[in-house]
Amino acid sequence: MAIKGAVVLITGLCVGSFLATVVARGKRLFEKKRSACDHCRRPLFWWENIPVVSFVFLKGRCLTCRSLIPRWYPLVEVSSGLFFLLTFLTWQKKFLVFTPTSITILVIWLAIISLLLLLTVIDFQQMVIPDQIVIALILLTILGYFFVSPLGLVLKNHLLAGLGAAGFLLFLHLVTKGRGMGLGDVKLAVFMGLFLGWPKIGLSLYLAFLTGGLIGVIMILLNKVKLKRQIPFGPFLVVGTIISWWWGEEIIFKLSQWLVF
């Protein structure tokens, strides 16, 4: 099983490298050009594109012009590798054997975690949550339910959770006139509820507001952001979603025990 985990980790690193390329190139993604240095535009050798390893070997600088390679490149690659591995471990808890159905679910989950990471980077850098990513997340979630859950359960629980979460964030959007919550966050909440269901969606929103508030205060105290500048909320929604997805049952169980006593 350790070998399978290592394969998943390496796959995640490679996917992370692709995601970094998606963000860096943007609309130029499908141009038939080799990857190049952002500064001197020299085409990169194949060995300069090895996830993480190339960054360490090059000491974070271009081989030719010695300009700094953006630090978020290896950060995305490492994050993707770790997210792939943790998603695989979460999958193992639910599916003890390899079957066509369970493997399909794993592929869907890995696609979802990749899109969540991509969404996080884009929202953090550009303050926007692309509709295409949210739609893809919703479609992947619905596809997954065809393999593991009756459609009635989705309609009664997960769909209502998605609509409820989106309605709550839409209310905040309207009250704050868009300053406290963007419509992209509202759309993302539809996916969150559909994917997590109740009560995990409640936990994810709580964690999102908790981490968002804490990070916001810390950044303001460190003079990293100004009071009037907006901080993207999408990454915190993603954090809440991932924590609730991987450890939601355990957290909710512990909280219920604590509330009882």
Side-chain angles (χ1 to χ4, degrees):
M1 195 59 67
I3 296 178
K4 295 176 182 177
V7 171
V8 171
L9 176 64
I10 294 173
T11 302
L13 292 173
C14 295
V15 171
S17 180
F18 172 74
L19 296 179
T21 301
V22 171
V23 176
R25 289 194 177 188
K27 295 181 179 180
R28 298 181 293 105
L29 175 64
F30 297 104
E31 291 182 357
K32 295 182 179 179
K33 295 181 180 180
R34 290 170 53 189
S35 297
C37 172
D38 294 334
H39 297 273
C40 67
R41 307 311 302 170
R42 175 186 62 82
L44 303 181
F45 298 108
W46 67 266
W47 50 267
E48 293 180 274
N49 284 314
I50 302 175
V52 182
V53 175
S54 296
F55 182 86
V56 174
F57 178 78
L58 295 170
K59 298 181 180 179
R61 292 183 178 274
C62 172
L63 183 65
T64 303
C65 67
R66 305 306 297 166
S67 58
L68 289 174
I69 300 173
R71 297 300 188 257
W72 62 268
Y73 274 58
L75 180 60
V76 171
E77 293 170 350
V78 171
S79 298
S80 179
L82 293 177
F83 284 176
F84 263 53
L85 180 59
L86 289 172
T87 300
F88 175 71
L89 295 177
T90 301
W91 173 84
Q92 275 189 316
K93 295 179 182 178
K94 296 181 180 293
F95 302 95
L96 300 178
V97 294
F98 282 83
T99 65
T101 297
S102 65
I103 293 175
T104 301
I105 293 298
L106 176 60
V107 172
I108 291 173
W109 283 8
L110 293 178
I112 287 175
I113 199 65
S114 299
L115 289 175
L116 287 175
L117 179 57
L118 178 62
L119 182 151
T120 299
V121 178
I122 292 176
D123 192 26
F124 187 79
Q125 291 189 352
Q126 305 175 20
M127 294 285 291
V128 63
I129 297 179
D131 289 341
Q132 300 92 323
I133 296 181
V134 176
I135 292 172
L137 287 169
I138 292 175
L139 292 178
L140 285 170
T141 301
I142 294 174
L143 178 62
Y145 283 128
F146 278 107
F147 292 94
V148 297
S149 298
L151 187 59
L153 175 62
V154 178
L155 293 176
K156 292 179 180 179
N157 185 339
H158 294 246
L159 181 57
L160 292 176
L163 295 176
F168 173 64
L169 294 190
L170 178 60
F171 171 76
L172 295 179
H173 170 77
L174 295 175
V175 169
T176 61
K177 297 181 179 180
R179 292 190 296 271
M181 194 70 55
L183 285 177
D185 302 318
V186 176
K187 298 171 186 176
L188 180 59
V190 176
F191 154 74
M192 292 171 59
L194 191 62
F195 183 66
L196 298 171
W198 178 263
K200 286 185 180 179
I201 182 60
L203 175 63
S204 65
L205 290 177
Y206 171 77
L207 292 172
F209 281 99
L210 178 64
T211 55
L214 289 175
I215 297 299
V217 170
I218 292 173
M219 293 181 70
I220 290 173
L221 292 176
L222 295 176
N223 294 322
K224 295 296 184 180
V225 296
K226 297 180 180 179
L227 288 174
K228 294 183 179 180
R229 180 183 171 187
Q230 287 184 320
I231 299 175
F233 192 57
F236 302 107
L237 289 174
V238 171
V239 169
T241 300
I242 292 176
I243 294 177
S244 299
W245 173 16
W246 290 341
W247 302 293
E249 289 92 347
E250 293 86 344
I251 295 175
I252 293 172
F253 177 73
K254 293 292 185 181
L255 288 175
S256 63
Q257 283 188 321
W258 179 78
L259 290 175
V260 170
F261 293 101

